[in-house]
Amino acid sequence: MERIRQFISACIAGFMIGMGGTVYLSQSSPVVGSCLFAVGLLTIVVFQLHLFTGKVGYLPFQKPAYIIELLITWCGNWVGTFAVANMVRMTRIYPAFAERAQSITDAKLADSPLSLFILAILCGILMFIAVDTFKNQTGSTIRLVAVFVPVMVFILSGFEHVVADMYYFSLVQVWSAHCLFITIIMTLGNSVGGMIIPLYKKIFKC
């Protein structure tokens, strides 16, 4: 039953990231769009939903069984993003940003695995900062800043967030063997980035 709950939580989290991706695509200003995108992560941390990039950083402190939870989370995130992407495709709002969504995905599909891996590492670092700060700080201001600023930074910088990319790939329907391959590359990059600070804290006991 707990695994089912985790999967449903992950589906909702993926759905919310897809909502963030939708509002980002609908905005002409990248700054405004990146800020509004963060509403998805805010919902996830407030309701303690399962987001892969928010959970993978804690792997160094967990038992091996935690890997199963991460796999369930990854799958649930994909289902959630796939669901909202296909819902959006059936509405009148999709044509307005379909070309932009296609351009974004084309750039990702044409990129090299090394580039995607590095960009995903950088995003993973920011996602851990956002989630861990919200989790451990008490001041409402710093918690909000910790959610919105890292998200804006990773989007404006062009870093790769695997769950957001799941949404974009589903939105323009470009899933293929190559698409799955680069999704795995970005998953690994987000994982490495998310664990850099936790491993530092674990090794140096700080």
Side-chain angles (χ1 to χ4, degrees):
M1 196 67 186
E2 175 60 18
R3 295 305 188 193
I4 294 174
R5 185 196 69 80
Q6 291 169 0
F7 180 74
I8 294 173
S9 173
C11 289
I12 298 172
F15 196 94
M16 293 310 304
I17 292 297
M19 293 275 279
T22 301
V23 71
Y24 171 72
L25 291 171
S26 70
Q27 301 300 308
S28 58
S29 168
V31 174
V32 173
S34 62
C35 181
L36 294 176
F37 183 102
V39 171
L41 181 60
L42 180 64
T43 304
I44 289 165
V45 293
V46 167
F47 292 99
Q48 300 179 27
L49 301 174
H50 281 57
L51 179 68
F52 180 83
T53 52
K55 296 184 70 63
V56 70
Y58 297 100
L59 181 59
F61 299 101
Q62 302 293 329
K63 297 178 179 179
Y66 189 70
I67 295 175
I68 297 175
E69 184 174 342
L70 289 176
L71 291 173
I72 291 172
T73 298
W74 191 93
C75 293
N77 288 167
W78 185 86
V79 170
T81 56
F82 185 84
V84 69
N86 282 275
M87 289 171 67
V88 169
R89 284 183 62 87
M90 293 187 288
T91 69
R92 68 176 186 274
I93 68 173
Y94 176 64
F97 51 74
E99 185 176 346
R100 185 181 181 195
Q102 186 69 58
S103 177
I104 289 174
T105 56
D106 286 347
K108 297 176 188 297
L109 291 170
D111 203 358
S112 70
L114 178 60
S115 173
L116 292 168
F117 182 68
I118 293 171
L119 293 173
I121 288 175
L122 299 176
C123 179
I125 294 171
L126 290 169
M127 289 302 297
F128 177 80
I129 292 171
V131 172
D132 195 67
T133 303
F134 187 91
K135 181 179 179 180
N136 293 307
Q137 296 297 321
T138 55
S140 58
T141 300
I142 191 171
R143 295 177 89 193
L144 286 175
V145 169
V147 170
F148 280 84
V149 172
V151 170
M152 293 180 69
V153 170
F154 95 68
I155 291 177
L156 295 174
S157 300
F159 300 158
E160 299 293 351
H161 185 284
V162 67
V163 182
D165 289 337
M166 289 175 178
Y167 170 71
Y168 297 133
F169 294 153
S170 298
L171 188 64
V172 298
Q173 297 184 333
V174 293
W175 283 107
S176 63
H178 175 65
C179 189
L180 179 60
F181 170 70
I182 66 171
T183 300
I184 293 172
I185 293 295
M186 291 185 290
T187 299
L188 295 174
N190 285 163
S191 301
V192 171
M195 287 188 281
I196 288 176
I197 294 176
L199 283 171
Y200 160 76
K201 293 174 66 177
K202 183 174 183 178
I203 292 170
F204 294 100
K205 311 296 182 182
C206 57

